[in-house]
Amino acid sequence: MTLSLVLSACSGGTTDQPGPGEESDEMPQSVVGPDFSTVFDADSLWYDRIDDDAAIDPRSDEYVAALVEEGENPVVSVNGWTMPVYEADAATPRYTIQPTEDYVAGGWTLRDVPIPDAAAPDPQEDGHMVVVDRDEGCVYEFWQARREGTGWTASWANATPTDGDGVYPDGLSSRASGLSAIAGLIWPQELAEGRIDHALVFAYPNTRSGGPVPPATASDGTTDDDTALPEGARLRLDPSIDVDSLGLSPTQNVIAEALQTYGMILADTSGGMSLYAASPQSFENFPYPTSWSGDIWKDLSAIPFESMQVLEVEPQVERYSGPPVTNRCSDGAFGGAAAGGQDDGE
């Protein structure tokens, strides 16, 4: 499915009090809500620091030049086009979800899916939603989720274990790349603490056709432009840059440091270049600075994305074409999926 995840960020520390008509970049005093910044296995790729001497792709400058010439400022999606995330436990109501899109020959059913009563999908067209059950060890994710009567349905739904790597080996995640929808999000608690200890994900319009590169396992790339990046490509901010000397706001400083240390992975195609913050609708209070509250997206153009480096790009691979891998969290949670390939629409 071509998930048009379109186009927000925060930090630790305090700022000067805003003047009349100005918005504050200061984090709220408390954040009440989920924190799944470290949901997957600690040894997974999301928590790998990038060595200063990591191999840079010979065409890095070309790729980055094309990336920043897309015509729109880089942003972080905050108040829409991102991922609401909810926590489930043994008392959470359970539902059977039968996705309405036919991405698996023979049908697809998830049973005993926990969805809290207060859960709601993102209000934009993609309608993403994520539910995490730590006790069960499972991340459930949905594309175009919606309530129907007393139940729930979605255009697509799947699940992956919390002790895994956040990558769907058959590409059947709710993101076009096969990467879990919860992976690589910016969390308000991280911004409040002043550090992000994992890789981020991003999307942009000009993704390359012809298949993904690891860690992505699927792709919705459509362009043959040889300066286009394939989904799964990983970039990092030039480590020689002194981020503290850039004069960034506290929130953007935290994001820039994460981009330098862990980088960002291309996870989808979108209408503009965007990183993703956990949706504020998952929290009891608005968890980001007031400067993030007015628009769907928060501008990140003060971060020097023109100084990004593309890590060595592996050869593109064919999308997985075998039977769907249904043993995500437990065999009993799935049923009705016949062996076979899947539609290239994801």
Side-chain angles (χ1 to χ4, degrees):
M1 65 191 76
T2 302
L3 306 182
S4 55
L5 296 178
V6 203
L7 319 164
S8 304
C10 308
S11 108
T14 60
T15 63
D16 294 335
Q17 290 298 310
E22 295 180 351
E23 294 178 311
S24 172
D25 191 61
E26 185 176 356
M27 289 293 296
Q29 291 187 346
S30 65
V31 174
V32 182
D35 180 1
F36 292 109
S37 55
T38 56
V39 66
F40 294 115
D41 185 88
D43 293 327
S44 68
L45 63 100
W46 302 104
Y47 313 113
D48 285 344
R49 299 171 68 96
I50 300 172
D51 293 336
D52 285 354
D53 60 354
I56 303 303
D57 196 271
R59 301 188 61 203
S60 176
D61 290 347
E62 294 177 72
Y63 289 135
V64 172
L67 183 77
V68 299
E69 288 175 3
E70 289 294 334
E72 294 187 39
N73 288 340
V75 299
V76 54
S77 295
V78 184
N79 298 298
W81 297 107
T82 189
M83 311 294 169
V85 182
Y86 300 94
E87 187 163 12
D89 57 28
T92 302
R94 305 270 161 166
Y95 301 88
T96 295
I97 307 295
Q98 293 182 301
T100 58
E101 295 290 336
D102 186 18
Y103 295 123
V104 173
W108 185 257
T109 302
L110 275 74
R111 301 190 181 96
D112 298 322
V113 178
I115 303 179
D117 290 336
D122 184 88
Q124 305 302 322
E125 179 184 350
D126 281 341
H128 278 286
M129 186 172 75
V130 179
V131 176
V132 182
D133 189 330
R134 284 198 188 274
D135 293 337
E136 188 182 73
C138 196
V139 175
Y140 298 90
E141 54 187 80
F142 312 87
W143 175 61
Q144 294 184 339
R146 51 199 178 271
R147 292 183 185 270
E148 285 196 352
T150 59
W152 281 85
T153 189
S155 294
W156 185 249
N158 211 340
T160 193
T162 57
D163 62 358
D165 60 5
V167 177
Y168 287 74
D170 55 12
L172 289 171
S173 72
S174 64
R175 279 197 184 278
S177 58
L179 303 178
S180 174
I182 199 174
L185 299 181
I186 296 166
W187 290 84
Q189 295 91 338
E190 298 174 314
L191 298 175
E193 292 171 4
R195 58 185 295 163
I196 296 172
D197 290 325
H198 59 81
L200 304 179
V201 297
F202 80 106
Y204 88 127
N206 200 31
T207 52
R208 189 194 300 174
S209 60
V213 298
T217 54
S219 174
D220 64 349
T222 58
T223 180
D224 294 328
D225 186 338
D226 66 358
T227 64
L229 288 166
E231 291 183 16
R234 190 168 188 165
L235 294 77
R236 62 103 178 266
L237 184 63
D238 185 342
S240 68
I241 292 175
D242 179 5
V243 169
D244 291 335
S245 71
L246 297 177
L248 301 173
S249 69
T251 57
Q252 295 200 21
N253 200 83
V254 176
I255 294 171
E257 288 179 344
L259 292 173
Q260 220 173 26
T261 306
Y262 297 94
M264 63 182 190
I265 299 173
L266 181 55
D268 223 319
T269 304
S270 66
M273 191 169 76
S274 176
L275 281 69
Y276 298 90
S279 172
Q281 72 185 53
S282 309
F283 297 82
E284 291 187 18
N285 56 313
F286 189 76
Y288 299 109
T290 58
S291 62
W292 289 39
S293 62
D295 300 300
I296 291 178
W297 304 290
K298 178 65 177 176
D299 183 87
L300 293 180
S301 59
I303 296 174
F305 281 87
E306 67 277 7
S307 297
M308 298 295 288
Q309 300 173 335
V310 179
L311 301 190
E312 193 166 37
V313 178
E314 297 184 40
Q316 290 175 269
V317 298
E318 293 292 327
R319 178 171 176 161
Y320 174 85
S321 60
V325 182
T326 56
N327 188 18
R328 301 289 186 203
C329 303
S330 66
D331 287 328
F334 297 84
Q342 52 273 340
D343 192 308
D344 281 337
E346 179 172 310

